[in-house]
Amino acid sequence: MEKKQAAFRSCLQPASKVLVSCRGKGGEDNALVVAYCCNCSFDPPMVMVGIVPSRYSHRLIKESGCFVVNLVSGDNKALFDYMGSHSRRDGDKLKAFGAKLREGEKVDAPLLDDCPVNIECTVVDSIVTGSHEMFVGKVEQVHADARLVGEDGKIDFKSIDFV
Ligand SMILES: Cc1cc2nc3c(=O)[nH]c(=O)nc-3n(C[C@H](O)[C@H](O)[C@H](O)COP(=O)(O)O)c2cc1C
């Protein structure tokens, strides 16, 4: 196979993009699209999300010490596009879109109810890697569309039509 040097940026692809929802101390709810998201520990279960410090959500996550990772299917495409192209700095985009929210059970942040899987996380560490601050989140609760959860509790990820 012939090889050629390629672009370094975001060279791990495809990566499933998610919506991260959060809430500031003053009760401001928000969500943004995040491509920098991955599992980072099996035991205890932990995930990591990379947020650029200039994002409005960055301050909210710093303040609250928690966030929710919402997996996104094709049915959520309009929400995904809106959250990734608008900033809370210019107004309450969740309200403007009419996003359906549900209270977190374990963390003080909203879940995006129309997304098939919602992962509640508490920030246990963070690393500024360069352009992004990687927030390490301990998984506190996982909610999944009941139709996707098997007898063993495992999520049937193959049935999710990821964006
Ligand atoms: C496909 C896609 C991937 C993105 N990935 C990230 C990311 O990994 N980290 C990040 O901080 N912003 C990312 N963004 C940008 C934010 O979602 C976007 O700037 C958003 O409007 C920020 O909202 P906020 O200012 O209300 O927090 C991405 C946007 C898109 C469309």
Side-chain angles (χ1 to χ4, degrees):
M1 186 187 297
E2 192 187 320
K3 292 279 163 73
K4 188 177 168 186
Q5 183 176 316
F8 288 13
R9 284 192 179 185
S10 302
C11 53
L12 272 183
Q13 293 283 352
S16 129
K17 280 121 191 121
V18 300
L19 279 163
V20 171
S21 48
C22 50
R23 174 176 290 153
K25 265 196 176 154
E28 296 163 274
D29 288 340
N30 199 31
L32 82 167
V33 171
V34 167
Y36 285 35
C37 178
C38 61
N39 294 310
C40 63
S41 168
F42 181 70
D43 184 18
M46 296 207 267
V47 298
M48 198 155 69
V49 293
I51 313 286
V52 178
S54 60
R55 310 292 185 234
Y56 195 89
S57 305
H58 184 270
R59 180 174 60 78
L60 305 188
I61 294 172
K62 280 288 216 195
E63 279 178 8
S64 66
C66 63
F67 58 87
V68 178
V69 174
N70 305 271
L71 303 192
V72 185
S73 78
D75 292 346
N76 312 124
K77 180 80 168 70
L79 176 66
F80 178 87
D81 288 345
Y82 199 88
M83 296 302 136
S85 60
H86 291 73
S87 176
R88 179 68 159 88
R89 210 169 285 113
D90 305 318
D92 187 342
K93 54 178 165 172
L94 287 170
K95 197 171 259 175
F97 183 86
K100 208 167 144 202
L101 305 180
R102 184 191 287 231
E103 276 304 296
E105 275 177 18
K106 305 282 179 166
V107 305
D108 188 19
L111 320 183
L112 300 176
D113 205 25
D114 289 331
C115 292
V117 179
N118 320 96
I119 305 166
E120 297 186 35
C121 300
T122 302
V123 175
V124 292
D125 204 350
S126 83
I127 310 147
V128 178
T129 48
S131 53
H132 290 59
E133 180 162 2
M134 305 303 299
F135 291 102
V136 177
K138 179 171 173 286
V139 175
E140 306 285 5
Q141 183 60 286
V142 180
H143 309 261
D145 180 337
R147 291 166 297 185
L148 297 173
V149 185
E151 293 281 295
D152 53 2
K154 289 189 181 156
I155 298 169
D156 175 16
F157 291 105
K158 282 202 207 92
S159 295
I160 303 176
D161 160 35
F162 286 105
V163 161

